[in-house]
């Protein structure tokens, strides 16, 4: 059994962990030269995806969003689609006052300061520009915008953001263990243009941190507060309003409860159940 890494004719299960490539193409923005540069990459990715899907008995989707896109774009019948969400390590990602204090001390957050945390590779896709612009609309001088992750354009993005935000910006780049930092935030700020199911959205909820995300993140489906979910990832006023709502909400118990419904063990059990179904089907035929 091959689970959706390298497609070939022997695949029985294909896990669409990166979503549907054509759905991402439809939602991204590219300059003319950038479109030409990536055309051949897109064609190769779409062709590879089609081969994998056609050769698989079941296609595993990590959100309802991916299931809908898979049916719409590739015409995969409903009976061949299974939604199995990625689980979260609830022991690693959890509220922890000591870890929170350490993180905020490292960020030099004033006592009354609030932290918006941006996490991700691919700043354009994850919406860093929108995140920063929205933060500036509602932040006070005591608030901090923490950026975790890296991008090919980091060398240009960092000095620009430093100019815009000054001491409000905390640039961390890549970190070894996100769980040691995520719990220090007062809100996750992820106005993503496309995420099949952003792991960090679920990890933030496990830490009791309200995630501001968009309807283009498959994990928005399990966020328990609609005020945290923005329809248009480029709607700066809406993102700013959602950030204000997240800061006001604080570490609401419903966030952790929502994450507890999706432990790593559930992901493993659902995958094993699907494999057993395949074996039973093969035995009967």
């Amino acid at each position: 059994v091959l689970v959706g890494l390298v497609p070939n004719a022997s695949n029985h299960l294909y896990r669409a962990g990166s979503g549907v490539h054509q759905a991402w193409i439809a939602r991204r923005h590219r300059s003319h030269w950038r479109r030409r540069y990536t055309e051949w990459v897109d064609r190769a990715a779409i062709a590879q995806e089609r081969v994998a899907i056609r050769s698989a008995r079941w296609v595993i989707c990590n959100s309802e969003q991916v299931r809908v896109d898979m049916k719409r774009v590739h015409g995969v019948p409903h009976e061949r689609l299974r939604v199995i969400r990625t689980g979260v390590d609830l022991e690693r990602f959890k509220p922890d006052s000591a870890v929170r204090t350490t993180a905020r001390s490292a960020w030099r957050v004033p006592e009354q300061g609030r932290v918006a945390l941006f996490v991700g590779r691919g700043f354009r896709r994850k919406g860093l520009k929108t995140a920063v612009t929205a933060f500036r609309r509602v932040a006070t001088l005591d608030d901090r915008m923490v950026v975790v992750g890296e991008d090919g354009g980091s060398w240009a993005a960092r000095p620009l953001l430093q100019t815009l935000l000054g001491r409000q910006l905390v640039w961390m780049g890549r970190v070894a263990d996100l769980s040691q930092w995520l719990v220090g935030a007062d809100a996750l700020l992820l106005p993503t243009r496309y995420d099949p199911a952003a792991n960090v959205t679920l990890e933030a909820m496990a830490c009791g941190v309200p995630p501001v995300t968009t309807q283009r993140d498959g994990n928005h489906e399990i966020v328990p507060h609609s005020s945290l979910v923005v329809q248009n990832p480029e709607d700066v006023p809406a993102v700013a309003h959602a950030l204000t709502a997240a800061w006001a909400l604080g570490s609401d118990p419903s966030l952790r409860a929502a994450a507890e419904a999706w432990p790593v063990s559930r992901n493993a059990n659902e995958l094993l159940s699907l494999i057993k179904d395949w074996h039973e089907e093969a035995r009967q035929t």
Side-chain angles (χ1 to χ4, degrees):
V1 176
L2 301 178
V3 183
L5 294 178
V6 180
N8 64 46
S10 63
N11 281 7
H12 295 291
L13 304 179
Y14 171 64
R15 181 179 181 274
S18 297
V20 178
H21 195 77
Q22 284 174 266
W24 158 231
I25 291 173
R27 292 164 180 167
R28 75 186 181 193
H29 293 270
R30 288 287 187 268
S31 62
H32 177 67
W33 73 267
R34 184 69 173 174
R35 284 197 300 271
R36 294 190 64 179
Y37 177 76
T38 57
E39 274 180 359
W40 68 273
V41 177
D42 290 334
R43 286 197 297 267
I46 292 169
Q48 185 182 52
E49 192 173 83
R50 284 174 177 165
V51 170
I53 292 166
R54 289 172 182 172
S55 65
R57 172 62 183 88
W58 283 293
V59 176
I60 301 171
C61 307
N62 51 8
S63 67
E64 286 294 330
Q65 171 182 281
V66 174
R67 183 189 66 80
V68 170
D69 285 342
M70 194 65 68
K71 186 174 182 179
R72 174 179 56 82
V73 173
H74 292 291
V76 183
H78 179 79
E79 61 271 16
R80 288 182 56 210
L81 296 170
R82 295 287 184 94
V83 176
I84 301 179
R85 291 189 181 276
T86 304
V88 61
D89 186 337
L90 294 168
E91 287 302 312
R92 181 177 165 215
F93 292 94
K94 61 184 178 181
D96 188 312
S97 58
V99 175
R100 176 177 170 82
T101 299
T102 299
R104 295 174 76 84
S105 177
W107 295 333
R108 298 182 179 179
V109 183
E111 185 177 350
Q112 301 303 318
R114 302 166 298 182
V115 174
L117 179 67
F118 174 92
V119 179
R121 294 181 59 190
F123 292 160
R124 181 184 294 271
R125 177 168 68 89
K126 299 286 186 176
L128 178 58
K129 180 180 178 181
T130 300
V132 169
T133 307
F135 172 84
R136 291 183 71 200
R137 282 189 172 225
V138 297
T140 68
L141 290 177
D142 285 342
D143 298 330
R144 296 293 180 264
M145 177 81 198
V146 180
V147 177
V148 173
E150 61 181 6
D151 184 90
S154 295
W155 61 272
R158 182 173 183 177
L160 176 61
L161 296 189
Q162 195 71 63
T163 300
L164 289 173
L165 298 178
R167 68 182 184 184
Q168 290 177 299
L169 174 68
V170 180
W171 186 281
M172 297 201 67
R174 180 186 293 184
V175 298
D177 186 356
L178 180 60
S179 67
Q180 298 302 299
W181 301 101
L182 184 51
V183 72
D186 297 296
L188 173 73
L189 190 51
L190 189 72
T192 180
R193 290 176 175 173
Y194 182 70
D195 263 295
N199 290 336
V200 72
T201 300
L202 184 54
E203 291 163 352
M205 290 195 295
C207 290
V209 175
V212 174
T213 189
T214 73
Q215 290 184 2
R216 297 182 184 180
D217 169 12
N219 268 342
H220 88 270
E221 299 156 2
I222 57 175
V223 174
H225 299 277
S226 60
S227 61
L228 304 177
V229 180
V230 178
Q231 181 176 1
N232 181 354
E234 296 181 71
D235 187 343
V236 172
V239 175
H241 186 269
L243 175 58
T244 300
W247 278 341
L249 179 66
S251 186
D252 190 274
S254 65
L255 298 169
R256 175 71 182 184
E260 287 176 342
W262 304 99
V264 173
S265 58
R266 177 172 177 173
N267 173 273
N269 290 337
E270 290 181 351
L271 181 57
L272 286 173
S273 177
L274 181 56
I275 292 173
K276 288 178 181 178
D277 288 347
W278 167 65
H279 277 297
E280 180 63 23
E281 182 180 272
R283 187 185 65 81
Q284 292 179 359
T285 58

